[in-house]
Each structure stands twice: as structure tokens, then as C-alpha cells.
Amino acid sequence: EQACGDKGDGRLKEPKDILEDVIRLFTPKLLEGKKVLITAGPTFEPIDPVRGITNHSSGKQGFDIALQAARAGGQTVLVAGPVTLQTPEGVKRIDVVTAKQMKDAVLKQIEINRPDLFIGVAAVCDWGIANPSSVKLKKQGDYAPTLQFTKNPDILATVAALRNAPVCIGFAAETNDITENAETKLKEKGVALIVANHASAAGKDTNNASFIDEFGVTPLGDMTKLELAQKIIERAAQLLAQKEEDAGSA
């Protein structure tokens, strides 16, 4: 059967697509029947129509997690900031730019689809510009515009605080005191797991992360982001199973 619906001689599927089919066939379906919502990439907060502030994020880790979630049988939705990565096969992608747009998209998906699992990987800008200009700001001598910042919404904490919230996993990209800062974030956000790593991992294909949860710190060592994504999906499946077990015994 061909893509157009006809049957007969047709073009062979791309080798990389055949490989992906084989990988999916043999990937344990740890998230079968589960709905997964993931954020990835940076947000971009406009100063004027041509300038803005953002975070250093390629989106690779979030996209790899979305890929592994889909391979594991999860019905996966990916809310992505401005990146140029290809959408993983089997994943529904929603593109956004600002932190507010990302929050609105996430809450809409939660209202519509009621996901079982939320993984907040996106490097969301903590601050936006309160007074963005509607026209390009022009250079005039030594003049420099004064920017007024405003606090952006905390998407992870907002989702975790919802009634009947999904299992929530967050990320902490730090430049110092990684474990201590991640432990603080775990408590403040009220999530099940924090994946902590050094901020220098942004843009790279590898990551050296640790799992931070109520039981302590689990260093994972250096690995590719795709390998780390698989570790996260395995841990997420355990958390989902534990939630169902707790609900059954309540």
C-alpha cells in the first residue's frame, strides 16, 4: 500500500524510516495507553519586532524524550519553543514562542486530553519584557533603551498544583550547586522527579544528569541525550505505576 492509498509497485521507504519502525517494534511499550505532554526548547520574549531575550536551548533533550515516549507507546504531544528540529515520528507538535503562549498551550492540552504524564524540559525564560515596542527601536547616538522586566508564569509549578495533576517531571539546568538547587526545585515545584544537569549541556548531543526525588540523588553518568531520554521514560513508567498502585489502595 502506498501513501496515496493505491496498491502496487512503489518507492521503497527511506532506510532511516525502516530503522525507526524496527526500533519501535522492539521497544517495550512502557507507556502503552498513556497520554504524555512534553515541553521543549527555549522561549523567546520580544523587546521589539526584531529583538528579544531567550535561553540557550537547542530542544534536543526534549525532542529525544518525545521520541522515546512515542516509541514506548505513549500518545505524545510536544509543545515546542522556537527550534528547527524535526518532529519525531508519531508525535503531535504545537509550536509556540513566548512563555505565556507555552503555558496557554500546555493548560489547553491538559484540559482537552488530560495527560497522565507531564515532562517540563523547556528552558522557559523566567522574565519577559513588560513594555515591548511595537516598532523597531532605533540606535540614536549613545541612547540605550530601558527595559522593564516582568515575571513569566511558572509552567511546571502551575501544572503540578492542578487538581488531579498528571505525574510531573521537571528539569534543572544549573551552573553551580547543581544537586542543592535541584533539591530545592523539587520541593518548591511539588513534582515527583527533577532531572538535574549542568547548563553547559545545552546544544550538545550528550548529557551528564542525575535523578533527584524524595529518596535522594541518583547520578546517571555521561550518555547521549537519547539514552538519557530512555532512562527518563523508564523512570516515568515506574512513577505512573506507583501512582496507580497508590490510588488502588486508597
Side-chain angles (χ1 to χ4, degrees), residues 12-61:
L12 181 68
K13 200 170 188 179
E14 291 292 336
K16 64 180 180 62
D17 295 329
I18 297 174
L19 175 60
E20 179 60 27
D21 290 341
V22 174
I23 292 172
R24 285 174 184 256
L25 179 64
F26 289 101
T27 299
K29 299 299 179 279
L30 300 176
L31 298 181
E32 190 72 55
K34 301 299 183 183
K35 296 179 181 179
V36 185
L37 180 60
I38 300 169
T39 62
T43 63
F44 182 88
E45 312 299 326
I47 294 173
D48 63 19
V50 297
R51 304 182 184 91
I53 61 172
T54 188
N55 280 346
H56 184 44
S57 172
S58 65
K60 290 179 180 179
Q61 187 65 79

Side-chain angles (χ1 to χ4, degrees), residues 216-227:
V217 182
T218 305
L220 300 175
D222 195 37
M223 61 185 69
T224 68
K225 288 185 174 179
L226 189 61
E227 290 169 335

Side-chain angles (χ1 to χ4, degrees), residues 190-239:
V191 299
L193 178 70
I194 291 290
V195 183
N197 63 268
H198 196 278
S200 61
K204 297 180 180 178
D205 293 325
T206 59
N207 204 341
N208 190 331
S210 297
F211 285 167
I212 314 288
D213 58 21
E214 61 178 325
F215 302 107
V217 182
T218 305
L220 300 175
D222 195 37
M223 61 185 69
T224 68
K225 288 185 174 179
L226 189 61
E227 290 169 335
L228 176 58
Q230 180 59 32
K231 296 285 186 184
I232 293 169
I233 294 304
E234 291 170 357
R235 186 73 180 95
Q238 295 172 354
L239 292 170

